Structures are given as C-alpha cells and as structure tokens.
Amino acid sequence: MSYELKVLNPATEEVVASVPATTAAEVGAAVARAAKAQQAWAAAAPADRARLLRRFAVVVDEHLEELARLEVREAGHTIGNARWEAGNVRDLLDFAAGGVERLSGRQIPVAGGLDITILEPLGVIGVIAPWNFPMPIAAWGTAPALAAGNAVLLKPAETTPLTALRLAELALEAGLPEDLFQVLPGAGDVAGSALVEHPAVAKIVFTGSTRVGKSIMARCAERVKRVTLELGGKSPNIVFADSDIEAAAAATPMSFLDNSGQDCCARTRILVQRSVYDRFLELLAPAIESVVVGDPADEKTQMGPLISRVQLDRVRSYVTDELKGIRGTAPEGPGFWFPPTVLTGLAPDAPAACEEVFGPVAVVLPFEDEADAIRLANSTEYGLSGSIWTRDIGRAIRLSRAVAAGNLSVNSHSSVRYWTPFGGYKQSGLGRELGPDALTAFTETKNVFISTEA
Ligand code: NAD
C-alpha cells in the first residue's frame, strides 16, 4: 500500500516536505536491482571504484552548505553542527576510497602449497539509520560498504529522509553506477523490516534504539545474516577531586547538550567525587544557564529543538516538577523545545539516572573513591562512551581499563573520529564501525589452499 512521510521543521512545526514512502514490494525490487549493480561494481578495477568514491566526496563537498541547510530544516541541528556532519560524509568517502586498493588478504605459511586469504564483498548491505545524525550515520555504513565492493540500500528514519535522498542524487551526479546506492525512505516496520527479512540482503547495519536493535538481531539470526548494531548509551562523565575542576565543569554542558542531547554518546551520568561535589555544581550552574538555545539556523545558537513531539513528550516524562537541579532556558511557542537540565539528588537507579533519555537532561551523582566511581560507571546496561577527568595518569589508565565502554576519553569529551573504531560494550551494540578495519566489516574472508604437489 502506498503511503507518504511528512517531514516537519522541528524548530517551527511547519511541513518541510512530503516524501513518498517505500513499500515492502518496492524494497524487493530495489534489492534485485542492487544485486545486479553489485556484481559489476565488484568486478570493476579497484582504482576505478576508488576514483568514483573520491569524486562522490568532491560532489558532497561542493554541496556542503546545501546539505547542511537541509539538515537544519529537517532535523533542527545547529548550522555549525550540520556543516560538520556534511563534512563528515565527505571525509568518510575519502577515507573509504583510500582503502579500496589496500583491502588485501594474507599469505599464510603452509607445507605443500600456498595458502592465501581473499576478502570478498558480502553483496547487498541494508543500512537502517536513525534521525539523530542522519548524514554521518548513513555514511558510516555506506562509504566503507561501497568501498569494499558492496551495493547499499539505505533506509533513513521516518522523520529525516531528505539529506539521504539528496546524497543518492549526488552519488549519481558523481558517476556512481545506477542502483548501486539507493535510498528507501519508509516506515521501520515496513521498509526496514523488508530489508531485514529479505534473503538477498547479506548484512544489516542498524543504529537506533536497543529495543528495535534486539528485534533486528533476532530476525537476522533466522538466516545467520550479518549484523552490526549501534544502540543506546548512558555514558558517565567521571570527575575526580584531583582533576582541573574548572575545566571539567566548563566542558560538561556541551558533553550532553550537543545535538540537544540526542546523541548516543552523550555524557548524561555525571559522577563527581563527593569532596568536590558542591564546588562542581557551583561552577556548572552558570555554564548551563548560559547555553544559547534557539533558532538552529543562527550561527550563535548552541542548542536547537528536539526532533519531534514524540521525543519531547518522552523527555518531559523523565523531568517532573518536584525534581531538583539546574535548568537553562528554551524558547516558548511552536517547536519541540526543552531547556538544558541537570538533575541532582536522584538515586543511581532512578529512571532518569540509568535510562537513555535522549534529550538535554543529565544527572549528577556523588561518589566516594575510585572503586565507587567504577562501580557506578558500570552499573547500567549500556557501555558506549565515557569521560574520565583526573590529573593522576595512573588513575586515568586504571579507569580506562576498568570502565566497560567502547569509547573513552581522558580530560576531554572526544567526539567520534572516522579513522578510529566506534562501537559499544554490553547492550550498547555489537561490532565496530569506522576506524582502520571499517572496510573489513563488509567482507567475508575466504581461505584458499593451492597444492604445489599435484
Ligand atoms: P528506532 O530504533 O525506532 O528507529 C531507528 C531506525 O530503525 C529508523 O530508521 C526506524 O525506521 C527503523 N526501525 C524501526 N522499527 C523497525 C523495525 N521493526 N524493523 C526495521 N527497522 C526499524 O528509534 P526511534 O523510535 O526513532 O527512537 C527511540 C529511542 O531510540 C530514542 O529515544 C533513543 O533513546 C533511541 N535512539 C538511539 C539512537 C542511537 O544513536 N543509538 C538513535 C536514535 C534513537
């Protein structure tokens, strides 16, 4: 049955576009076309594939401002962030292009012959992307998958299909073969499910909620389909008394308010050593209150709206009036606005302290000593990111080893880099994206023994 997606501007609630959505039958037809295009792509000379991906990067760069403005309109991202996001797509395409001719197997010593491994593309890859970083997350799966010789079918989130559709047009403009990279906007339980369940889709790369991720993993298991999952987070920001408290407090607001807190790496569980707890809050309050929340298209804005009414209601459900803490300001009127919020006095197992809120809300919890900090940091079901603030190098190393998370930073809140690996421990995910092995995740290793005795 045909249906449409209505795209709203989250800052104004105005309709930006209506997009025809993909039916399950149309997904099937797209898979068949992609499988054909993939055969020719995999057979092309590596240098030619690399050249086309580099050209795609150049075309993205030429349209960077247009893509960024589109992201502001459909996702409410601040213009500065949106430019970074479009640039991230360009950089990732360049990085992946550099891997095409370097994607080599190994030669392993054996008696009586020659043993080699061959890295073969998987075939057709389904990338299911969320709305919080529509462009970068789409590219994290798409660029290395294409570079490794696969075709890609990208299903963007219902609320944010526009930049993905534009990227598909730019790919054709750059000369990528027809049908190799297709964008299929649609509902998760229609177009997304059709990709997950299609026998000719070899791998699903999913980013989104832990709930949907688990269901995708279960359905992929039916066919032993390959799967990478990037799921939720409740990442700790651990501040020791021996750290530079001023620097730690100054860096805290944007460690969880960037992208209005709709970031799986947001440091929303702020753990502060009890001896500096009061001092830290004194420093944090003015920093939170001075965050500029407003029109995302304004260059000075630091935080825009939430993505949708659904998300706003979800965030509101965690912050009831009787809770204590620090509140910033947000515009009134149309748009999905919520002020920067830091909650204090909560138990470590209160819902706001251990569930992913996915909004501009953090909690501050005191801890006694190093062992207590590690215990609190590891006491959620998640394990995606975290930060450790201390001047003691031994402690920094001990904590880096002890905190069960895939991406840690010391005396900083480092963002994701396309050339370093990214992924989660525990229920934050499965597998790794980006980094030196990004392309290998889209290959199957074949071992071949050639006898010299015959
Ligand atoms: P979601 O998991 O429902 O959606 C993510 C993607 O999966 C979308 O493209 C969606 O269409 C698709 N999808 C949904 N159901 C599907 C299904 N049955 N089969 C295949 N694909 C399906 O996330 P959401 O509802 O947009 O957000 C809910 C919560 O998820 C948020 O509040 C947040 O906590 C979390 N979230 C996390 C991330 C992240 O980066 N880890 C991103 C988005 C949302």
Side-chain angles (χ1 to χ4, degrees):
M1 208 178 60
S2 65
Y3 61 110
E4 287 209 327
L5 304 175
K6 205 191 278 176
V7 181
L8 296 185
N9 181 332
T12 61
E13 301 182 46
E14 284 158 5
V15 178
V16 175
S18 276
V19 173
T22 317
T23 62
E26 287 165 343
V27 170
V31 174
R33 292 197 304 274
K36 208 158 157 231
Q38 189 268 330
Q39 301 268 311
W41 178 245
D48 290 340
R49 281 194 269 137
R51 192 174 310 111
L52 280 171
L53 289 172
R54 276 196 288 271
R55 210 182 283 159
F56 188 8
V58 169
V59 175
V60 167
D61 194 45
E62 287 166 356
H63 294 81
L64 194 138
E65 190 63 22
E66 178 205 327
L67 286 164
R69 298 268 164 204
L70 200 53
E71 200 69 301
V72 173
R73 285 218 307 283
E74 76 167 339
H77 290 192
T78 60
I79 182 66
N81 277 16
R83 287 189 188 117
W84 180 90
E85 289 162 38
N88 189 247
V89 178
R90 171 205 55 212
D91 293 345
L92 202 58
L93 284 165
D94 257 334
F95 177 65
V100 177
E101 297 110 319
R102 294 173 178 83
L103 189 62
S104 36
R106 303 162 86 176
Q107 179 264 309
I108 299 168
V110 287
L114 177 72
D115 193 282
I116 55 167
T117 63
I118 305 171
L119 300 184
E120 295 184 337
L122 295 171
V124 178
I125 309 296
V127 176
I128 300 179
W131 43 260
N132 59 331
F133 290 106
M135 278 194 283
I137 293 178
W140 295 1
T142 301
L146 291 175
N150 302 279
V152 171
L153 299 176
L154 166 64
K155 198 213 78 67
E158 290 85 336
T159 41
T160 55
L162 300 182
T163 45
L165 287 165
R166 189 68 185 119
L167 284 173
E169 289 171 359
L170 297 179
L172 289 179
E173 196 179 314
L176 251 72
E178 197 91 28
D179 298 328
L180 186 71
F181 170 46
Q182 300 174 56
V183 173
L184 311 173
D189 57 2
V190 180
S193 278
L195 274 179
V196 171
E197 282 157 24
H198 199 294
V201 174
K203 176 170 181 167
I204 294 290
V205 179
F206 171 81
T207 304
S209 63
T210 300
R211 183 185 63 79
V212 174
K214 284 178 184 175
S215 110
I216 287 180
M217 188 174 175
R219 285 182 286 156
C220 285
E222 287 295 313
R223 297 180 187 278
V224 198
K225 189 173 284 196
R226 278 66 181 137
V227 64
T228 298
L229 303 172
E230 297 293 355
L231 309 176
K234 189 75 188 176
S235 298
N237 171 12
I238 310 169
V239 182
F240 282 95
D242 65 14
S243 69
D244 180 340
I245 305 289
E246 279 75 16
T252 290
M254 293 321 287
S255 77
F256 75 95
L257 297 175
D258 196 50
N259 206 26
S260 310
Q262 302 166 122
D263 180 344
C264 46
C265 291
R267 277 38 169 198
T268 52
R269 212 167 138 89
I270 308 167
L271 310 179
V272 183
Q273 196 154 19
R274 197 178 292 279
S275 56
V276 292
Y277 182 84
D278 291 340
R279 174 78 187 125
F280 182 82
L281 285 182
E282 270 169 32
L283 292 165
L284 185 60
I288 294 288
E289 284 154 8
S290 63
V291 171
V292 182
V293 183
D295 178 4
D298 187 329
E299 304 278 346
K300 291 190 291 299
T301 296
Q302 290 174 284
M303 194 185 108
L306 293 165
I307 186 73
S308 63
R309 168 106 12 227
V310 172
Q311 197 60 22
L312 179 59
D313 290 344
R314 185 182 147 83
V315 174
R316 277 185 180 146
S317 73
Y318 282 98
V319 187
T320 46
D321 285 342
E322 74 278 7
L323 295 181
K324 290 192 304 243
I326 308 165
R327 313 261 167 128
T329 54
E332 307 270 325
F336 310 121
W337 302 100
F338 197 86
T341 302
V342 176
L343 301 174
T344 53
L346 288 181
D349 60 353
C354 59
E355 292 175 17
E356 184 176 50
V357 177
F358 230 56
V361 180
V363 300
V364 190
L365 302 169
F367 69 84
E368 304 303 332
D369 54 17
E370 203 173 298
D372 198 28
I374 294 168
R375 185 186 60 76
L376 278 171
N378 288 339
S379 65
T380 75
E381 66 190 28
Y382 295 115
L384 193 54
S385 303
S387 305
I388 300 146
W389 290 80
T390 175
R391 285 191 174 107
D392 179 335
I393 189 157
R395 168 170 281 164
I397 294 168
R398 286 195 298 278
L399 264 285
S400 300
R401 289 190 173 134
V403 176
N407 313 274
L408 294 173
S409 50
V410 175
N411 294 329
S412 62
H413 301 292
S414 79
S415 59
V416 178
R417 300 182 177 86
Y418 59 83
W419 64 102
T420 59
F422 178 75
Y425 278 41
K426 302 194 282 183
Q427 293 192 34
S428 283
L430 183 80
R432 291 293 177 271
E433 293 190 274
L434 310 177
D437 304 321
L439 274 60
T440 317
F442 294 98
T443 62
E444 203 70 84
T445 301
K446 182 176 279 174
N447 191 73
V448 179
F449 170 76
I450 304 159
S451 170
T452 48
E453 308 298 315

